[in-house]
Amino acid sequence: MVTFEEVSKIYSDGTKAVDSLDLHVQKGECVVFIGPSGCGKTTSLKMINRLEEISSGKILINGKDIRESNAVKLRRNIGYVIQETGLMPHLTVAENIAMVLHLHKWDKPRIYRRVNELLEMAGLDPDTFKHRLPADMSGGQRQRIGVLRALAVEPDVVLMDEPFGALDPISREHLQGELLELQEKLHKTIIFVTHDIDEALKLGDRIVLMRGGKVEQVGTPEELKNSPKTAFVRDFIGEDQLSKISPDASISPLIEAAPLTVQPRMPAAEVLELMEEAGYETAQVVNRRGGWSGMVILNEVKKIARRNGPVDDAIRLNRKLRLEDATIRDAAQMLADRELPIPIIDGSNKLLGLITAAGVARLTIHRLTRSAPPTTAPEEKSEQKSERGVESV
Ligand SMILES: Nc1ncnc2c1ncn2[C@@H]1O[C@H](COP(=O)(O)OP(=O)(O)OP(=O)(O)O)[C@@H](O)[C@H]1O
Ligand SMILES: [Mg+2]
């Protein structure tokens, strides 16, 4: 249906936005482009309807080079939805949708029927909404109209550039669901751009993960999740999913390995030495079967060591969370009281790992910066990971 052959785009200022893109999108398929800001998603999309001209390579639609068609005619047969809907503010909903139908020289009765049909398809009562102006509707309703307008003439291909990006999470989920339902009926060929990995995993038959103008991996959602080709793919999927976690979610994604575990009845002096050597402020006391006996803190281990006691004498049992019933909010509250790591245990008292203030801070930092997903090189990332244990105390 849509084929990219070695397509590159170099803007006039020398920016190489897309670099040798090869991709074949099948009829009826929904392909989602995702990747960090500036990786070339919008440019790839705009080359399909010739809002941007290709610098080298070619794009074929139904086997025909798009440069052989007149750009205006080409665009009329390609639906296009953008984040700001592109609705005309002074035209009513019906007029906005009818506009594209007029371009296709539809007659008035046919336009009337089609507008009603489209509104009903999206669950918007035609009598209520036909005569509204875009400003008198919610963001979600406006965006639905944008989608309907793109589908109005039953185009072969629909391009969507972050169509739900400006909506609140609930409206966004609704519209995603509606798009999936529509797609089940209409089987359009959709090329969809998003920042949101959950959206990509939900809507895409295949996902194209881009980085710096190049394709990092193309695959089904399962392929990307289960067999990421590179550390970048793994991190992109992992970190973005992390940023979606609600405070009421399970703490499991935040659990890190405990960097120092010691056995019960070890002399406190020995434990002290281990802790001071590695610079840890806490250690976990774990028996041979992995059962958690408690946590010890440096200052208290020091006191017991002075009188040659066993580490057990310094043990504290009150600071812990059980995986099954703790939320991220619980962990954050506990860390707000005192920044020491929190041991996490399971139902049979086995130590699963720790939650640290540094781990929660990473989550927060990622949330705050998630409009621009991190582009840190994978090598730098793995370095950070290996330091986690040290950072955590
Ligand atoms: N008209 C232009 N002139 C010069 N450079 C441009 C132009 N449009 C985009 N670029 C550059 O091309 C690169 C790709 O831009 P593009 O808009 O395709 O990214 P994107 O993946 O859609 O990003 P975002 O997720 O932020 O929308 C960026 O470096 C951008 O600055
Ligand atoms: Mg873009």
Side-chain angles (χ1 to χ4, degrees), residues 37-38 40-43 161-162 193 195:
S37 189
K41 307 181 290 292
T42 296
T43 305
D161 194 349
E162 307 208 29
V193 166
H195 257 120

Side-chain angles (χ1 to χ4, degrees), residues 65-325:
D65 191 327
I66 56 169
R67 273 174 299 199
E68 285 167 20
S69 323
N70 168 293
V72 177
K73 273 199 187 141
L74 174 82
R75 249 167 253 155
R76 266 185 213 158
N77 293 308
I78 299 178
Y80 188 43
V81 191
I82 53 173
Q83 190 168 309
E84 308 79 33
T85 72
L87 295 177
M88 298 284 182
H90 58 284
L91 297 183
T92 64
V93 164
E95 288 164 343
N96 263 293
I97 299 174
M99 214 169 69
V100 282
L101 302 173
H102 281 302
L103 288 174
H104 283 259
K105 311 248 182 321
W106 286 29
D107 61 34
K108 277 200 177 150
R110 194 173 168 209
I111 291 180
Y112 182 88
R113 284 198 305 273
R114 183 65 176 151
V115 169
N116 283 354
E117 183 184 75
L118 285 165
L119 288 169
E120 273 163 13
M121 205 158 74
L124 295 168
D125 174 38
D127 293 333
T128 314
F129 286 97
K130 250 160 93 170
H131 307 294
R132 289 255 181 110
L133 289 173
D136 300 330
M137 291 189 297
S138 71
Q141 288 164 346
R142 267 201 297 278
Q143 212 55 35
R144 276 189 189 90
I145 305 298
V147 174
L148 294 180
R149 193 181 52 167
L151 295 172
V153 293
E154 308 224 5
D156 294 335
V157 181
V158 183
L159 311 178
M160 301 183 136
D161 194 349
E162 307 208 29
F164 310 141
L167 301 178
D168 63 273
I170 293 171
S171 311
R172 189 189 301 193
E173 263 201 71
H174 267 290
L175 266 78
Q176 288 165 352
E178 285 174 19
L179 184 64
L180 281 176
E181 274 176 33
L182 271 177
Q183 179 63 353
E184 249 172 48
K185 279 185 245 158
L186 305 177
H187 302 290
K188 291 284 156 205
T189 306
I190 300 176
I191 305 181
F192 191 106
V193 166
T194 184
H195 257 120
D196 178 346
I197 186 73
D198 286 342
E199 188 165 79
L201 296 170
K202 184 169 170 184
L203 299 178
D205 294 315
R206 279 190 302 156
I207 296 172
V208 179
L209 177 50
M210 290 184 78
R211 178 194 195 188
K214 290 198 166 140
V215 172
E216 191 80 10
Q217 187 168 355
V218 180
T220 62
E222 281 64 38
E223 282 165 352
L224 260 75
K225 275 194 288 192
N226 302 333
S227 9
K229 266 193 195 162
T230 61
F232 176 78
V233 179
R234 195 175 45 241
D235 285 347
F236 191 86
I237 290 180
E239 293 217 10
D240 238 55
Q241 288 205 327
L242 204 60
S243 76
K244 300 287 164 37
I245 293 169
S246 113
D248 298 311
S250 157
I251 50 178
S252 60
L254 285 176
I255 301 175
E256 304 169 26
L260 180 59
T261 58
V262 297
Q263 287 186 4
R265 284 181 296 282
M266 259 174 86
E270 261 177 51
V271 175
L272 179 65
E273 213 180 299
L274 289 173
M275 292 175 84
E276 285 185 327
E277 229 165 65
Y280 295 141
E281 208 184 325
T282 60
Q284 303 302 318
V285 184
V286 174
N287 65 30
R288 279 199 198 87
R289 289 179 305 280
W292 182 72
S293 308
M295 164 165 126
V296 292
I297 297 172
L298 188 69
N299 281 342
E300 287 157 20
V301 175
K302 260 185 202 159
K303 275 187 221 156
I304 310 297
R306 254 180 248 132
R307 54 173 168 82
N308 291 322
V311 69
D312 306 47
D313 290 359
I315 274 178
R316 291 170 166 241
L317 284 163
N318 51 355
R319 189 180 182 81
K320 62 171 181 284
L321 285 173
R322 212 176 285 279
L323 176 66
E324 303 94 271
D325 45 36

Side-chain angles (χ1 to χ4, degrees), residues 11-18 35-44 46 52 161-162 193-195 210 371:
Y11 283 106
S12 51
D13 65 355
T15 306
K16 192 161 202 175
V18 176
S37 189
C39 70
K41 307 181 290 292
T42 296
T43 305
S44 301
K46 283 184 167 172
E52 291 295 348
D161 194 349
E162 307 208 29
V193 166
T194 184
H195 257 120
M210 290 184 78
S371 56

